Each structure stands twice: as structure tokens, then as C-alpha cells.
């Protein structure tokens, strides 16, 4: 099995992005540990089910297990063996509520915290870019200076997760400011002559020898600290979660204080950006062109229109008359309701008296009162 996985990953390296290849290599590790040197022809449905049971006992999520079985499935298909086990290997149910959008006060709070410390600058600038462009984290890391057009204020995504992800994104003021800040930082690190092939987020930045020819691996540690950081209720000092406030003069009990963004994934910023686009009444086609989606179903997966936006949309259906307060209109509606004007108790009663046919307002046309004499023939026919 190990040799089969080696061949599979070698073939996949030429067909998928480097990030996807690394991800598949990581997901293949537990397969190697379980199946080892077992020959592919000896893998049965019971063997695969045993693997799934073992992974679930270890607390691995259904999504991760499905990704691992996906690698195994593709390898068994290459060996013409998958059809022997396909009917007995289930696809584990996955969560449908993946991702979240920030509340109205969480977004500015998160950005303020991220901008408060120099060691969090990479995570801060990456967050600003994602929140203003809907880019994926992997797309941000792969940005080179040749992808940035400062004259047109655009970004070109040339390498993405999908073919639909290859797109041109206009830069609003927030994203453009972040790009200019990254350029000034690159000049301070490497001089004024910036190569188009250099990355906006260089590898090992902050170390003694940053390398702009390689992309940054990530900002996971900084992101975790940013999302978990709290303010002491007593003195307002920003700090990590702890039992007592870190300030010597305070030492208040903060053991029960927890950040509302704790557990927030960096990818959730993309969810939030798409949510704001959806709430801005931008068309689905516009949102998909910006975010790089291929279907309305995927757009629905990422969009989390908040309750307040839904409330505002419904409030827009009914507005009080000009120069009249909501209190006055509400009192009038209440009075009319008591009189039978706005309740279903009276609406369903039959109308008393004859229902009159509509009458013509005026007679125009010829001496027979009709504008077009042909209408007389049509009317007579009926």
C-alpha cells in the first residue's frame, strides 16, 4: 500500500496545486500507518470499515475521515479494486453549518486587536485583504508582486483552489492600503528594486534571513492569539486568557472571561466578506465573480446573511408615511384593528350586498361609442 500511495501522490503532484498536494500527503499518513505494506488486492470492505472505526475512536471528524477515504478510493480505482468495496463503505455525514460570519461589533474589534502588536502584522494585513477581497488564505500566501496592478488597483488571482478562482479583483481603499503597506515593508527589508516574482508575504519574515522568493507558510500562532485575546473587565488591558489579570496593579479574576471570536478560523473571514456582499444587495453573478465560485449552491454555502440584515430587509417592506413617527402609525394601526380594519376576524366575512361590475369611465370613438368598430364584432361574438 505504501508504494501505491507513493505512485498516487507522485502523479497527483503534476495535476493539483502545491497546497492541495501537501494536504493530500498529510491525509495519506494515517493510511500508511494503518495499511502499511498490505497489498492493494487484499484490501476488503471490512478492512476499510475497520480503518474508519479506528479513526472515529480517536475522535477524528467525519470530514477528515471522508478525505482520507477519498484518497484510498482513488487509489483503489487505479487498481480496479474499488467496485469490490464501494457498496459497503459509507460516506460519513458532514456538518452543513461550516463557517460563520462575524457580528457587527466583532469585525472592528478583531482588526483592532490584530493591529495592536507588531508581531501580529502579517495576520492583520492578511485579514484586511481577505475581508476586502473574499480571497482564500492560500490565495493570499501565493500573491506575487506581478499579480498586483497599482495603477488599475486590481489583484489577479492566477493560482487558486479551482479554475473559477482564477479572477481579477478590484481593490477598495482598505485592500489598497494594505497592499501599499506591504510594499513599503518589502522596500524596507529588501531595497527599492522589488522583483515581480517576489511574494507579498515572504517566507520566514521576522527571522534573520527572510526569503521573498518563497511564500510564507502561515500565521497560525498569531491568529490563535488574536482570536483568543481578551480585555480585562477591570483595567481594560489586552492579554491572553488566564486566571488573573497580567497587570500587577490589577490582578482581577479573568478566569471566566472569554473572547467571542475564540475558535474563529481564518477562512471564516472569507465567509464574512461574502456575507457582507450578499447583504449589500450585490447580484449573485457579481459575488461569484469576486469570490471565484462556480455555482449558486457554493455561494449559499458561504453566505450567512445575518438576522439583523433580514430584519432590515423586512422592515423596508413597510415604512411610515413622511413626517409621522412610528408611534403615531402604530397607534393608528391599533385603533383600526380594534375597529375591525386589520384583523382576520372581519376579513373572512362575506361581502354584503351585490358585487357590482366595473363601469366604463367614458365613451370615446365613433358614434356607436366604441374607439374601434372591430371591437364591436369581437364583443358581439362573446
Amino acid at each position: 500500500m505504501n508504494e501505491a500511495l507513493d505512485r498516487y501522490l507522485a502523479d497527483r503532484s503534476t495535476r493539483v496545486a502545491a497546497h492541495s498536494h501537501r494536504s493530500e500527503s498529510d491525509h495519506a499518513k494515517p493510511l500508511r500507518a494503518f495499511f502499511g505494506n498490505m497489498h492493494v488486492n487484499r484490501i476488503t470492505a471490512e478492512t476499510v470499515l475497520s480503518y474508519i472505526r479506528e479513526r472515529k475512536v480517536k475522535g477524528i471528524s467525519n470530514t477528515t475521515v471522508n478525505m482520507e477515504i477519498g484518497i484510498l478510493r482513488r487509489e483503489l480505482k487505479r487498481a480496479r479494486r474499488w467496485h469490490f468495496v464501494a457498496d459497503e463503505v459509507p460516506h460519513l455525514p458532514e456538518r452543513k453549518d461550516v463557517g460563520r460570519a462575524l457580528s457587527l461589533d466583532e469585525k472592528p474589534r478583531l482588526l483592532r486587536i490584530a493591529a495592536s502588536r507588531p508581531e501580529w502584522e502579517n495576520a492583520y494585513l492578511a485579514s484586511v485583504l481577505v475581508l476586502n477581497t473574499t480571497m482564500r488564505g492560500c490565495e493570499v500566501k501565493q500573491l506575487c508582486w506581478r499579480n498586483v496592478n497599482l495603477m488599475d488597483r486590481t489583484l489577479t488571482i492566477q493560482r487558486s483552489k479551482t479554475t473559477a478562482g482564477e479572477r481579477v479583483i478590484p481593490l477598495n481603499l482598505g485592500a489598497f492600503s494594505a497592499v501599499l503597506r506591504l510594499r513599503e515593508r518589502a522596500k524596507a527589508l529588501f531595497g527599492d528594486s522589488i522583483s515581480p516574482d517576489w511574494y507579498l508575504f515572504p517566507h520566514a519574515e521576522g527571522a534573520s534571513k527572510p526569503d521573498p522568493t518563497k511564500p510564507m507558510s502561515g500565521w497560525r500562532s498569531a491568529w490563535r492569539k488574536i482570536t483568543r485575546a481578551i480585555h480585562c473587565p477591570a483595567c481594560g488591558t489586552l492579554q491572553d486568557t488566564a486566571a488573573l489579570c497580567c497587570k500587577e496593579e490589577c490582578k482581577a479574576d479573568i478566569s471566566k472571561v472569554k473572547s467571542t471570536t475564540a475558535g474563529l478560523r481564518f477562512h471564516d473571514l472569507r465567509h464574512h466578506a461574502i456575507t457582507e456582499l450578499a447583504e449589500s444587495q450585490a447580484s449573485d453573478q457579481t459575488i461569484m465573480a469576486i469570490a471565484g465560485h462556480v455555482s449558486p449552491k457554493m455561494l449559499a454555502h458561504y453566505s450567512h446573511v445575518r438576522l439583523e440584515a433580514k430584519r432590515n430587509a423586512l422592515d423596508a417592506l413597510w415604512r411610515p408615511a413622511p413626517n409621522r413617527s412610528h408611534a403615531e402609525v402604530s397607534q393608528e394601526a391599533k385603533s383600526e384593528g380594534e375597529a375591525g380594519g386589520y384583523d382576520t376576524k372581519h376579513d373572512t366575512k362575506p361581502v354584503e350586498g351585490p358585487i357590482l361590475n366595473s363601469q366604463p369611465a367614458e365613451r370615446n370613438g365613433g358614434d356607436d361609442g366604441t374607439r374601434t368598430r372591430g371591437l364591436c364584432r369581437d364583443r358581439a361574438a362573446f
Side-chain angles (χ1 to χ4, degrees):
M1 185 62 184
N2 285 332
E3 294 181 2
L5 287 172
D6 290 338
R7 290 193 301 268
Y8 165 80
L9 292 172
D11 292 341
R12 293 283 286 179
S13 63
T14 62
R15 299 166 53 190
V16 299
H19 174 78
S20 299
H21 185 259
R22 288 194 300 270
S23 177
E24 286 199 334
S25 298
D26 290 339
H27 285 108
K29 290 178 180 178
L31 294 172
R32 294 180 184 275
F34 183 87
F35 293 99
N37 294 321
M38 181 184 298
H39 197 277
V40 173
N41 292 339
R42 301 192 63 181
I43 296 178
T44 64
E46 181 55 36
T47 311
V48 180
L49 293 175
S50 298
Y51 173 82
I52 295 176
R53 287 194 294 268
E54 179 179 298
R55 296 295 284 163
K56 292 305 298 178
V57 168
K58 292 181 179 179
I60 308 301
S61 69
N62 287 358
T63 301
T64 301
V65 175
N66 284 337
M67 294 176 70
E68 295 167 359
I69 296 301
I71 296 174
L72 180 63
R73 180 182 66 252
R74 289 188 287 273
E75 177 51 39
L76 291 179
K77 281 186 176 181
R78 284 161 54 97
R80 305 293 190 271
R81 301 289 301 175
W82 176 249
H83 62 280
F84 290 114
V85 302
D87 293 339
E88 299 181 54
V89 177
H91 182 85
L92 302 181
E94 300 179 12
R95 290 176 54 190
K96 299 300 183 182
D97 57 340
V98 178
R100 56 165 289 194
L102 299 168
S103 65
L104 295 177
D105 61 330
E106 284 178 336
K107 176 181 174 180
R109 175 183 176 274
L110 184 72
L111 292 177
R112 282 196 303 269
I113 293 175
S116 63
R117 295 183 183 177
E119 61 269 26
W120 294 345
E121 187 175 25
N122 281 324
Y124 167 69
L125 293 175
S127 301
V128 172
L129 284 176
V130 174
L131 287 170
N132 288 278
T133 63
T134 74
M135 284 193 294
R136 301 174 176 89
C138 59
E139 294 171 345
V140 173
K141 296 172 191 174
Q142 294 295 326
L143 279 177
C144 294
W145 286 109
R146 69 168 61 255
N147 305 133
V148 181
N149 189 325
L150 296 177
M151 298 297 294
D152 293 340
R153 293 193 176 189
T154 59
L155 280 177
T156 301
I157 308 299
Q158 293 181 332
R159 297 178 59 188
S160 184
K161 182 179 178 181
T162 64
T163 55
E166 300 170 2
R167 61 204 188 275
V168 178
I169 304 176
L171 296 175
N172 61 17
L173 182 59
F176 189 67
S177 300
V179 170
L180 292 180
R181 186 163 168 180
L182 286 165
R183 191 167 182 83
E184 291 301 319
R185 195 174 63 172
K187 289 181 178 180
L189 287 172
F190 312 112
D192 292 338
S193 56
I194 299 177
S195 171
D197 294 325
W198 288 356
Y199 290 90
L200 272 67
F201 291 88
H203 177 72
E205 186 172 350
S208 57
K209 295 182 179 180
D211 186 358
T213 64
K214 297 179 181 179
M216 172 172 282
S217 58
W219 38 78
R220 181 178 300 178
S221 298
W223 180 252
R224 286 177 177 174
K225 292 181 178 180
I226 291 169
T227 54
R228 297 175 184 177
I230 60 173
H231 286 91
C232 175
C235 65
T237 303
L238 180 67
Q239 56 196 290
D240 298 333
T241 54
L244 299 176
C245 177
C246 64
K247 197 171 183 178
E248 290 294 334
E249 298 83 2
C250 181
K251 291 297 181 183
D253 182 8
I254 59 172
S255 58
K256 296 182 180 180
V257 180
K258 185 178 180 180
S259 173
T260 58
T261 57
L264 182 76
R265 305 173 307 161
F266 186 81
H267 191 69
D268 289 330
L269 299 184
R270 173 172 161 87
H271 286 255
H272 178 83
I274 296 174
T275 297
E276 289 195 328
L277 284 176
E279 293 175 355
S280 71
Q281 299 181 353
S283 67
D284 287 358
Q285 290 76 11
T286 299
I287 299 175
M288 287 189 284
I290 295 173
H293 287 143
V294 295
S295 67
K297 181 179 180 181
M298 185 58 69
L299 175 61
H301 171 75
Y302 276 91
S303 179
H304 307 267
V305 180
R306 291 167 294 197
L307 179 62
E308 189 62 27
K310 296 177 183 178
R311 189 185 307 280
N312 292 337
L314 292 174
D315 286 345
L317 299 178
W318 182 83
R319 296 192 181 281
N323 302 323
R324 298 175 67 194
S325 66
H326 280 282
E328 294 173 338
V329 176
S330 299
Q331 181 59 39
E332 179 180 333
K334 180 179 179 181
S335 300
E336 292 184 359
E338 293 174 351
Y342 284 102
D343 61 342
T344 58
K345 181 170 60 178
H346 298 277
D347 294 341
T348 55
K349 286 184 176 181
V351 178
E352 297 180 358
I355 301 177
L356 302 178
N357 293 325
S358 59
Q359 301 295 325
E362 58 178 341
R363 296 170 61 87
N364 298 321
D367 47 350
D368 58 356
T370 309
R371 182 180 298 275
T372 305
R373 286 181 170 83
L375 292 178
C376 294
R377 292 190 294 272
D378 296 338
R379 195 172 299 169
F382 287 103

